[in-house]
Amino acid sequence: MRQGDCRLTRGKAIALLSPFRRRWVGCRDQEINATRVLSPSEGDRCLVALSEQRVVCWLSLLTSDPFESELRSRLGWAVVRAIYDGLPDFQRRLLEGMGFGPFLRLEELTPDVALIQALKERWDPECHAFLFLWLHMIPTLEDVVRITGLRVGGQAVIGTTYTNYQEPVERLLGLEVRGERSSLIALQVSLGVASVRQQTGESQADYMARLTEDARAVLAEEEGDVADRDLRRFLTIVIGKLILGTRGDPVGCRCLPLLEDLSSVGNYAWGAALLAHLFDSLGTSSRETGVAGFFPLLQVWAYYHLPSLGRRVVRRRGAVPLLQRWRFFRDERSLRRQVTLIHVILDTIPFGHVRWTPYVEEDDATQPWVERGRPYFGRDIWLHCFNMVVSLHHRLVARTLGLHQAVVEFPTRQRPWERPGRSFRGIQQVTDWTVRVREQLDDWERRGKEVVFEATSDEDYFRTYARRYGAQVYKGTRRPLDDWERRGKEVVSEATSDEDYFRTYARRYGAQVYKGTRRPLDPEGRISSLEGVLHSTIQQRDDLQAVVDQLAELDRAQ
C-alpha cells in the first residue's frame, strides 16, 4: 500500500462493474460536501486531508477516449503559494534557511498529461530507468536540484513510521482527532484558506489575493509557539502534498516526527526523497491511472533532455530554478492521440538529438543550491524516503557525465530492497528504518559510489542493451532483433541524381499521394521531381545543422 492509496480510484471502481459495462466513467451533476478525516488506524496511510471542499464528480460515460481523465493535477500549488505569500517575513526567512525558498517561489506548471503518461509506460521498475531505443535514461539528483531548487544533500529523509499518527498530529499541529473516523479541522482551514474554490468570474490574480489575505488574517505575526505550530502545519502541506505528492486530496503525515525540531528540518535531503518517491510511483502497476509525486520534474526533465518532442514553450528566459523557464505547449488533439504521437517520436528520435548534458552552459553562480548538491552528482546511491528505499543506478546513464557508456550488469529485483512488499513497508507495525535498512543508509552517508568509466566507445553497451531489452523497446515493431545487432545493412548508392527515383515514385504512388487533390496525375513525374529536389535540399540542410549542433556540443564537452 502506498501513501495516498486510501480512496476508490477509477481503476478500482471499474473492476467492480459488470464486464459488459467496464467503461471509463466519472461523476456528473452531483456536488458532494466532502469532509476528509484522519483515521488513527490507517498506519502509513494516516492522512490529514483537505476538508470542507465541494468536490465535483462527473458521472457520464466517456466513450470517446479512455485516457481522458488520467493524471489530474492535484498538487494544490495555488493554495500552497497563497499561504506562503501570507506568511510573515520571519517565517519566510526560516523557510529560506531550510532550503525551501526557491521551491516555494516556483510558478505553477500546467501538467502535460500526455507526456507524463507516455513516460510512465516506458519506465522499467527493475532498474528504475526509462527504456528508449537509444539507451537508458534516468532523472538524476542534478536534474532535481536544477529544476526544483530543493536540496539533495544532507541527512537522509528517514526515521520511524507508525501505525497511528494521532498523537503527533494533536501535539505538533494542534489538531484534534476524535474516535475512529471523527472529523478533523483540516490543515488548510487552520491556515486560513477554508474556501479554495475559485468563484465564477474571479480572475486568477483576485483569487490568489483573496487566499493570501485569508491566510494572513489567521497566521501568527510574532515568533513563538503559535508561529511554530503554523510553520509545522504549512510544512506538512508542502512536504506531504507537493514534494511527496499523493493521488487525490489527502496529505501524508509521515514527515511529522522530522518536523518536531524545526531547526533541523533544513538538514534533510528533501530533493532526494522527492526522487525516491517519484521512482516508486512510476513503478506502480500500469492499471493505475496516475502518478503520485512531483511529476512536473519529469515534465521539465523531458523538455531539456528530449527537446525534439516539441512540448515546451519559453515562459521566462534565464529564470532559476529551471522549472520557471518553461510552460506546456497546449495541444488540442485528444489525449490518446497525443500519447500515441509521443511514442512515435520517441521511437524515431535520432541519437544525436538526445541531449545528455543539457546544463553545460548554465551559470551555476545564479544557482547556489547546485554547488551545495554537487558532491552527490554522478554517483550510484540509495535514495531514502521514509519507508521507501530506491536505488539510483547512475552507472546506466554515464553519458550524462560526458563519458562513454561501458557494459555494466543490469539491475534485477533479486534484492528485497528494490521493490519492497507490503510487509516490508512497515504499515502493520512501528518500524525504525534507520535500523531496518542500515546498510543502505550507510551507503547514503558515504555518498554512494562515484561513476567512473574508461570506455572509449558505446558499441559494446549498445549490443548488450539490445540483447537485454530488445523485446521491450521493439515491442509492436517488425524489426527483428538480430537485424539491430548487425546494425542492419549499410545503404550504398552510386546515383548522381534523384530524378529517376522521383519519376518511378510518381508512377507507383501517384494515385495515392494525389488522391483528393486538384493537381493532375503527373505521369512523367516532372512535378514530383522538382518537389523532391526541394525537399531533398531542405533535408540536407537540416541534417547538416544537426551535425553542426552535435560538433558544437562535443567541443563544449571537451
Side-chain angles (χ1 to χ4, degrees):
M1 184 66 69
R2 289 176 174 77
Q3 177 191 18
D5 286 353
C6 66
R7 66 188 180 90
L8 183 64
T9 64
R10 296 176 64 85
K12 296 176 184 175
I14 292 167
L16 301 178
L17 297 176
S18 163
F20 302 100
R21 301 191 62 186
R22 287 179 184 174
R23 296 183 177 179
W24 292 83
V25 299
C27 301
R28 184 178 188 181
D29 300 333
Q30 286 190 356
E31 287 191 349
I32 306 171
N33 288 325
T35 302
R36 301 289 183 110
V37 298
L38 172 69
S39 171
S41 65
E42 288 184 353
D44 187 38
R45 299 180 302 158
C46 184
L47 306 168
V48 177
L50 310 177
S51 69
E52 298 185 7
Q53 297 186 39
R54 301 180 66 82
V55 181
V56 180
C57 296
W58 302 92
L59 277 178
S60 61
L61 293 175
L62 303 178
T63 57
S64 60
D65 194 343
F67 290 108
E68 201 64 51
S69 59
E70 295 183 8
L71 292 168
R72 292 190 182 94
S73 175
R74 294 178 178 268
L75 294 180
W77 211 321
V79 175
V80 172
R81 181 60 187 268
I83 299 173
Y84 175 73
D85 291 341
L87 289 171
D89 292 340
F90 74 89
Q91 296 280 44
R92 286 201 292 270
R93 287 194 297 269
L94 287 174
L95 290 169
E96 193 74 30
M98 295 176 184
F100 293 111
F103 179 78
L104 292 172
R105 289 192 293 272
L106 293 174
E107 297 179 11
E108 183 169 8
L109 178 67
T110 303
D112 189 343
V113 180
L115 177 59
I116 303 300
Q117 180 69 31
L119 290 175
K120 185 177 189 293
E121 292 173 5
R122 294 191 176 239
W123 182 257
D124 180 16
E126 286 192 348
C127 59
H128 304 128
F130 295 111
L131 299 181
F132 298 113
L133 291 178
W134 47 87
L135 278 180
H136 293 101
M137 293 196 79
I138 306 174
T140 65
L141 292 176
E142 182 178 5
D143 294 308
V144 174
V145 71
R146 288 186 181 277
I147 293 173
T148 69
L150 287 172
R151 291 179 177 176
V152 296
Q155 298 181 30
V157 178
I158 195 172
T160 302
T161 54
Y162 301 91
T163 60
N164 186 320
Y165 285 84
Q166 177 175 346
E167 189 276 333
V169 168
E170 294 179 345
R171 178 169 56 87
L172 300 177
L173 303 183
L175 301 176
E176 185 177 2
V177 182
R178 298 176 182 176
E180 182 74 8
R181 298 289 294 179
S182 60
S183 62
L184 173 70
I185 299 176
L187 279 174
Q188 68 178 39
V189 176
S190 68
L191 292 170
V193 285
S195 177
V196 299
R197 193 173 184 180
Q198 191 167 357
Q199 299 173 359
T200 304
E202 186 177 29
S203 68
Q204 183 66 20
D206 292 340
Y207 170 65
M208 293 296 295
R210 175 171 61 83
L211 293 182
T212 300
E213 288 302 319
D214 290 345
R216 186 176 289 121
V218 302
L219 294 172
E221 299 180 357
E222 297 180 357
E223 300 183 29
D225 293 340
V226 176
D228 290 346
R229 183 197 62 194
D230 290 343
L231 187 56
R232 289 192 186 95
R233 290 174 176 176
F234 179 64
L235 285 172
T236 301
I237 291 183
V238 171
I239 296 171
K241 190 62 185 171
L242 288 182
I243 297 177
L244 309 179
T246 60
R247 285 182 293 273
D249 293 329
V251 180
C253 294
R254 291 177 300 173
C255 63
L256 283 179
L258 302 186
L259 301 183
E260 184 167 3
D261 181 8
L262 290 174
S263 63
S264 65
V265 173
N267 298 332
Y268 293 100
W270 296 107
L274 179 152
L275 192 60
H277 183 65
L278 186 61
F279 281 4
D280 184 82
S281 176
L282 286 169
T284 59
S285 170
S286 59
R287 294 182 178 181
E288 294 193 16
T289 60
V291 173
F294 192 72
F295 54 79
L297 169 67
L298 286 183
Q299 196 167 324
V300 180
W301 172 84
Y303 291 169
Y304 274 95
H305 291 270
L306 303 171
S308 297
L309 291 173
R311 308 287 296 183
R312 66 182 187 178
V313 176
V314 175
R315 176 162 55 184
R316 289 198 300 171
R317 295 186 183 276
V320 292
L322 302 185
L323 190 145
Q324 297 274 59
R325 297 185 184 180
W326 308 102
R327 62 182 176 85
F328 166 47
F329 179 77
R330 188 169 298 278
D331 194 330
E332 299 299 331
R333 289 172 291 195
S334 70
L335 185 55
R336 189 174 192 177
R337 177 63 175 163
Q338 291 182 55
V339 172
T340 301
L341 291 176
I342 291 174
H343 280 303
V344 171
I345 296 173
L346 291 175
D347 286 336
T348 56
I349 292 178
F351 182 81
H353 289 191
V354 178
R355 297 189 64 191
W356 294 97
T357 55
Y359 311 125
V360 291
E361 296 182 354
E362 289 294 329
D363 181 9
D364 292 347
T366 62
Q367 306 176 61
W369 45 86
V370 173
E371 196 61 34
R372 287 194 294 264
R374 196 174 297 280
Y376 292 83
F377 296 172
R379 311 182 79 86
D380 272 9
I381 195 169
W382 286 94
L383 305 176
H384 298 265
C385 179
F386 300 108
N387 54 331
M388 297 177 188
V389 185
V390 181
S391 53
L392 172 60
H393 301 297
H394 208 304
R395 65 184 182 276
L396 299 179
V397 288
R399 292 189 64 88
T400 61
L401 304 175
L403 304 173
H404 284 290
Q405 185 66 57
V407 177
V408 296
E409 180 183 356
F410 295 120
T412 64
R413 299 188 192 182
Q414 294 176 356
R415 290 172 293 186
W417 310 108
E418 298 201 21
R419 289 297 299 164
R422 181 177 298 182
S423 60
F424 178 81
R425 293 178 176 276
I427 294 177
Q428 306 302 329
Q429 59 186 355
V430 176
T431 305
D432 184 354
W433 296 97
T434 60
V435 176
R436 186 73 177 274
V437 293
R438 187 69 251 178
E439 180 182 351
Q440 288 69 32
L441 184 57
D442 289 341
D443 176 81
W444 170 264
E445 293 173 352
R446 293 192 304 266
R447 297 179 182 174
K449 182 180 179 181
E450 185 179 4
V451 176
V452 179
F453 289 146
E454 297 180 355
T456 58
S457 172
D458 302 321
E459 298 292 326
D460 294 336
Y461 186 79
F462 278 126
R463 295 189 182 94
T464 306
Y465 182 85
R467 294 189 190 98
R468 173 64 178 83
Y469 297 106
Q472 291 174 255
V473 296
Y474 293 126
K475 184 178 181 181
T477 68
R478 299 180 180 179
R479 181 187 299 181
L481 180 58
D482 56 354
D483 178 72
W484 164 261
E485 294 180 351
R486 292 194 308 267
R487 297 284 178 103
K489 182 180 179 181
E490 184 180 4
V491 177
V492 179
S493 175
E494 298 180 355
T496 59
S497 171
D498 300 323
E499 298 292 330
D500 294 336
Y501 178 79
F502 287 131
R503 292 190 183 94
T504 305
Y505 182 88
R507 294 189 190 100
R508 172 64 180 84
Y509 298 106
Q512 294 174 248
V513 297
Y514 296 131
K515 183 178 180 180
T517 68
R518 297 180 181 180
R519 180 186 298 176
L521 182 61
D522 184 21
E524 296 299 324
R526 293 190 179 91
I527 298 176
S528 297
S529 177
L530 293 174
E531 290 182 340
V533 171
L534 174 62
H535 289 305
S536 178
T537 304
I538 295 174
Q539 184 62 45
Q540 290 175 8
R541 182 202 63 185
D542 294 342
D543 292 343
L544 288 173
Q545 184 61 47
V547 172
V548 171
D549 294 342
Q550 188 174 3
L551 290 174
E553 183 175 351
L554 289 175
D555 290 339
R556 289 194 298 269
Q558 292 175 355

